Amino acid sequence: PVGGTESIKLDIRVIATTNRDIEEFVRQGNFRQDLYYRLNVISLRLPSLCDRPTDIPLLARHFLSKYLREGRPAECFGGEIDDFLMAHSWPGNVRELENVIERACLLARQSEIQSRDLHLRQCDDFAPTDERLAGSAPGDSGSGAGFFGKTLEEMERKMILATLDRTGGNRTKTAEMLGVSVRTIRNKLNQYDLAESASGL
């Protein structure tokens, strides 16, 4: 303690988190190398929500149970909620998801929380029309429409291309919006043989 004369033994663990490429920060001189090596005993990578979309419905239901309150109309999710949640890019990751579910619990006016109660910007883009539920949409060129009825790999591919299209092909901005590293975007484009086509966006 400040002003104390006796040493006090502590048993503590330091957990440091970041959403940046910390090794690149060290190379650029933006983060102290000695501090990095002191902290980097056991390194864990927690993928962003867009990298693990199957976790989204589970987390959403956890937050739903957390924020349900007696006297509020909301009791459960409507049938299309999972599709809407999994189609969102979640740049704010789990914290954004929690806030969205809490807001929906507060604003819903019926027992089932509907997509409109989520107030996500993408909701209008993914309205469950018959064509999209069938897995296709008019003019769908693989840049974001038609998520419904697709595999997770197809959804991921479409989400990356849609975000690249919105950012004018800027991979750094795309990575920031999707909450992943630029390296992840590059690897995914190579994995899906999209590197050349994406460069022309």
Side-chain angles (χ1 to χ4, degrees), residues 75-185:
E75 296 178 355
C76 60
F77 288 135
E80 87 286 9
I81 287 293
D82 287 352
D83 290 326
F84 277 87
L85 292 175
M86 293 174 70
H88 186 61
S89 60
W90 299 110
N93 278 300
V94 176
R95 183 171 297 177
E96 181 189 3
L97 174 61
E98 181 174 4
N99 289 342
V100 165
I101 301 303
E102 181 180 11
R103 181 172 63 228
C105 289
L106 290 169
L107 300 180
R109 293 293 178 263
Q110 61 284 323
S111 60
E112 284 192 355
I113 294 177
Q114 306 296 325
S115 56
R116 61 179 175 271
D117 299 316
L118 301 177
H119 297 282
L120 289 174
R121 287 181 302 171
Q122 279 89 336
C123 282
D124 292 336
D125 298 333
F126 299 108
T129 63
D130 292 340
E131 288 174 323
R132 286 176 179 174
L133 286 171
S136 62
D140 179 19
S141 60
S143 61
F147 280 93
F148 299 95
K150 300 293 186 181
T151 65
L152 291 178
E153 183 174 294
E154 289 172 320
M155 289 173 61
E156 178 183 71
R157 176 182 179 276
K158 285 177 176 288
M159 190 176 297
I160 290 174
L161 282 182
T163 310
L164 278 167
D165 186 49
R166 289 188 179 185
T167 62
N170 188 311
R171 296 185 183 185
T172 300
K173 289 184 179 178
T174 296
E176 290 177 355
M177 290 180 67
L178 295 179
V180 299
S181 66
V182 177
R183 181 183 301 175
T184 297
I185 297 296

